[in-house]
């Protein structure tokens, strides 16, 4: 049986698409443009890697705290240190790295190892 893609992941893709469309039309919503997109980056990245590993490649893998924190570090270095040095389209900002970290920690404690047990 093939696993379906999470509705939360699809909702994140739709949100990113809408935000990109708004940006291209000159509409910038500060909190959403500055922090929301960065906050959902790590959860979407972790989910996508887990989906590919398990569904496409056939492994039985679940990300752990080390993977989440490594993803935060990787994405922070890539988008907040390296990319701004290579292109003027990117800006290096510590608050963006903090948003990656916050999104990653929330993902870990909600999806990977929930603090509150569900039904």
């Amino acid at each position: 049986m093939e696993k379906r893609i999470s509705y939360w992941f699809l909702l994140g893709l739709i949100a990113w698409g809408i935000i990109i469309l708004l940006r291209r039309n000159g509409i910038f919503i500060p909190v959403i443009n500055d922090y929301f997109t960065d906050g959902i980056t790590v959860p979407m990245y972790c989910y996508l890697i887990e989906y590919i590993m398990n569904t496409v490649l056939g492994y039985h893998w679940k990300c752990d705290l080390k993977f989440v924190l490594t993803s935060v570090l990787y994405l922070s270095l890539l988008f907040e240190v390296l990319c701004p040095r290579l292109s003027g389209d990117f800006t290096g900002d510590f608050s963006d790295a903090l948003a990656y970290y916050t999104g990653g920690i929330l993902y870990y404690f909600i999806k990977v190892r929930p603090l509150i047990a569900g039904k």
Side-chain angles (χ1 to χ4, degrees):
M1 179 196 280
E2 189 170 318
K3 182 182 175 191
R4 285 189 263 170
I5 293 183
S6 165
Y7 292 116
W8 289 107
F9 182 78
L10 292 175
L11 193 63
L13 288 178
I14 291 168
W16 258 339
I18 290 170
I19 291 165
I20 289 169
L21 184 65
L22 290 173
R23 286 178 185 171
R24 287 189 181 166
N25 288 305
I27 300 169
F28 295 93
I29 304 168
V31 172
I32 292 174
N33 280 309
D34 295 340
Y35 305 112
F36 175 75
T37 53
D38 295 328
I40 66 172
T41 298
V42 172
M44 292 185 67
Y45 175 84
C46 290
Y47 174 82
L48 184 61
I49 297 296
E50 187 173 334
Y51 182 84
I52 291 170
M53 291 287 291
N54 295 330
T55 306
V56 177
L57 300 176
Y59 291 97
H60 297 287
W61 179 82
K62 189 167 185 159
C63 66
D64 56 6
L65 183 60
K66 187 165 104 176
F67 180 79
V68 172
L69 293 177
T70 303
S71 299
V72 168
L73 181 62
Y74 165 71
L75 292 169
S76 295
L77 288 174
L78 179 65
F79 290 117
E80 305 308 323
V81 177
L82 183 62
C83 286
R85 292 178 187 219
L86 299 175
S87 172
D89 293 336
F90 294 89
T91 57
D93 188 2
F94 178 75
S95 61
D96 290 346
L98 189 59
Y100 294 139
Y101 175 77
T102 303
I105 291 300
L106 286 173
Y107 178 79
Y108 179 76
F109 285 115
I110 291 171
K111 173 87 169 76
V112 177
R113 189 174 180 146
L115 290 175
I116 301 171
K119 291 183 179 180

